[in-house]
């Protein structure tokens, strides 16, 4: 297929671009480099430094068979401070992209949705038929795009898949997480291990979990890439599917810190902090639907292995020069 990857210079988009190329697809990356890196675009992909809002000429020129849409603002805290930026990029940008697709007669799309569309869960593991009650603007904007896709499928014959990622982690194809503003637990713990930060603040130790710290579902980015390859041809015209993507197992913040110590062999000093607003005690996905429909099965489910892959690539990028 000829595929356009919006946001392919970012963490997940670059890994999926590499997987698409390895699978024999022709790839054009569209990215404004607002949080991505030009050198993350894998060799073999064409690159257009263009915003979602100005994507029409690129779509008209490339005439892709399908679009994979990763481009977004995705910091939960910032979404509460600057909601306008999140509605503009995530919703306005996605609408511009869908209209550019329609004009170029491309109606197949896989979209990066999120566990944040569910909000505080009533029960875990979380299934796709759970209520969607986002507790922050980021989750609300992603849910709005999911709904946009449903209506484009019904009205305009789009074949669409929303993949609701839980906590994406690890590295593949030499590509890992390199966010200038890093808020995610695993890269932060590894920066502490590398001596780039003094300590890691653990946001709360009094949750109703076995060790008192929050439990999350860390899914390896390589397993996520595999899910995109399976999802791409799956829906028929007029169909919008929604799939959760998680590891199936939850790990606590304390277990992540222990894994970071084990993998790196360095101390990871920890400071106990307040709970972070809006953090549910436990978020774990049921990925039964994508397993049943598409035969997806995560292969890199071991936490130490996930942390090791992240560490190896971070070191190779000299993000952790002391290591
Ligand atoms: N990392 C996670 O754990 C996680 C979890 C759930 C969902 N997601 C979603 O997955 C997607 C990828 O996440 P990531 O961690 O790789 O983020 P990232 O910031 O590394 O990648 C996003 C990419 O989109 C680009 N971009 C942003 N706005 C753009 C615009 N207006 N026009 C063109 N390009 C634009 C950025 O430059 C960047 O390269 C996002 O949509 C995010 O919301 C991520
Ligand atoms: O310095 C830190 C950073 C994180 N945490 C804790 O570690 C866990 C994981 O936090 P992350 O920030 O790495 O990830 P989140 O679970 O907050 O966010 C993830 O899930 C969200 C849905 O709730 C969104 O989908 C988001 O994009 C995705 O990264 C949380 O319990 C958090 O409180 C700490 O204790 N200290």
């Amino acid at each position: 297929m000829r595929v356009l990857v919006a946001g392919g210079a970012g963490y997940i988009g670059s890994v999926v671009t590499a997987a698409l190329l390895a699978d024999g697809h022709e790839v054009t990356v569209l990215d404004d480099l607002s949080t991505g890196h030009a050198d993350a675009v894998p060799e073999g992909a064409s690159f257009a430094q263009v915003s979602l809002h100005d994507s029409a000429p690129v779509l008209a020129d490339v005439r892709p068979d399908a679009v994979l849409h990763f481009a977004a603002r995705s910091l939960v805290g910032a979404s509460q401070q600057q909601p306008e930026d999140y509605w503009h990029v995530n919703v306005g940008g996605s609408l511009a992209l869908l209209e550019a697709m329609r004009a170029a007669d491309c109606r197949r799309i896989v979209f990066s949705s999120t566990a944040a569309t569910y909000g505080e869960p009533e029960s875990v593991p979380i299934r796709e038929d759970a209520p969607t009650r986002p507790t922050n603007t980021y989750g609300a904007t992603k849910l709005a795009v999911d709904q946009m896709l449903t209506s484009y499928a019904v009205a305009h014959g789009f074949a669409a898949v929303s993949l609701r990622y839980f906590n994406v982690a690890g590295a593949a194809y030499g590509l890992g997480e390199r966010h200038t503003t890093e808020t995610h637990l695993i890269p932060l713990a590894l920066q502490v291990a590398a001596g780039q930060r003094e300590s890691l603040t653990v946001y709360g130790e009094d949750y109703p979990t076995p060790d008192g710290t929050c439990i999350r579902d860390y899914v390896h980015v390589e397993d996520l890439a595999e899910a995109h390859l399976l999802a791409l041809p799956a829906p028929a015209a007029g169909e919008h599917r929604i799939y959760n993507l998680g590891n199936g197992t939850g790990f606590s913040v304390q277990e992540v810190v222990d894994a970071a110590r084990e993998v790196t062999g360095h101390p990871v000093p920890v400071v106990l902090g307040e709970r972070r607003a809006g953090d549910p005690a436990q978020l774990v996905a049921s990925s039964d639907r994508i397993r049943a429909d598409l035969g997806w099965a995560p292969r890199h489910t071991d936490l130490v292995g996930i942390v090791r892959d992240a560490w190896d690539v971070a070191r190779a990028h000299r993000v952790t020069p002391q290591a």
Side-chain angles (χ1 to χ4, degrees):
M1 275 194 205
R2 194 178 307 141
V3 184
L4 184 125
V5 179
Y11 166 44
I12 303 168
S14 63
V15 170
V16 177
T17 296
L20 286 164
L21 291 168
D23 208 42
H25 298 279
E26 194 181 318
V27 186
T28 299
V29 166
L30 179 150
D31 197 300
D32 68 358
L33 299 183
S34 50
T35 58
H37 307 273
D39 67 3
V41 177
E43 213 171 295
S46 308
F47 176 48
Q49 185 176 347
V50 170
S51 162
L52 289 172
H53 296 90
D54 306 317
S55 53
V58 180
L59 271 285
D61 182 37
V62 174
R63 301 205 77 84
D65 303 306
V67 168
L68 296 187
H69 176 24
F70 300 90
R73 295 277 181 272
S74 58
L75 299 174
V76 170
S79 81
Q80 300 299 88
Q81 310 302 319
Q82 296 106 32
E84 60 284 2
D85 192 28
Y86 281 70
W87 289 106
H88 177 68
V89 174
N90 296 1
V91 177
S94 295
L95 181 59
L97 179 66
L98 295 193
E99 283 303 289
M101 288 175 66
R102 226 151 61 85
D105 202 22
C106 170
R107 284 158 206 261
R108 181 165 294 277
I109 182 165
V110 178
F111 170 63
S112 302
S113 188
T114 166
T117 54
Y118 296 111
E120 182 80 40
E122 276 171 8
S123 60
V124 283
I126 302 169
R127 290 159 30 124
E128 291 84 351
D129 55 8
T132 42
R133 292 188 289 241
T135 52
N136 52 63
T137 301
Y138 166 64
T141 62
K142 289 285 181 170
L143 182 60
V145 179
D146 285 345
Q147 291 166 342
M148 206 187 283
L149 289 173
T150 302
S151 54
Y152 270 65
V154 172
H156 300 311
F158 271 50
V161 181
S162 292
L163 296 177
R164 289 187 174 156
Y165 318 153
F166 280 60
N167 291 61
V168 187
Y173 301 98
L175 297 160
E177 227 165 333
R178 273 199 285 158
H179 296 132
T180 308
T181 306
E182 190 55 79
T183 60
H184 289 153
L185 177 64
I186 292 178
L188 287 176
L190 294 179
Q191 287 176 12
V192 175
Q196 293 177 310
R197 287 174 192 264
E198 256 180 37
S199 61
L200 180 82
T201 304
V202 171
Y203 299 139
E205 258 184 349
D206 57 351
Y207 283 95
T209 59
D211 64 24
T213 63
C214 285
I215 291 176
R216 292 291 181 274
D217 186 334
Y218 296 91
V219 57
H220 196 291
V221 69
E222 196 169 343
D223 289 328
L224 209 72
E226 176 69 25
H228 286 77
L229 295 184
L230 293 170
L232 194 54
E239 197 184 0
H240 176 212
R241 300 189 187 185
I242 296 178
Y243 292 123
N244 288 344
L245 284 178
N247 186 330
T249 314
F251 298 102
S252 72
V253 172
Q254 185 58 54
E255 286 175 306
V256 170
V257 171
D258 291 343
R261 288 174 178 149
E262 180 183 334
V263 164
T264 65
H266 293 298
V268 178
V270 156
V271 172
L272 178 59
E274 297 288 310
R275 286 185 177 197
R276 192 171 61 177
D279 264 346
Q282 212 181 133
L283 287 176
V284 179
S286 160
S287 306
D288 290 351
R289 188 185 276 183
I290 190 168
R291 287 172 187 258
D293 284 6
L294 305 183
W296 180 73
R299 279 181 280 193
H300 307 278
T301 54
D302 166 54
L303 179 63
V304 168
I306 291 172
V307 172
R308 180 171 295 117
D309 287 351
W311 176 245
D312 288 347
V313 168
R315 272 204 303 190
H317 274 288
R318 300 180 199 283
V319 174
T320 55
Q322 298 90 330

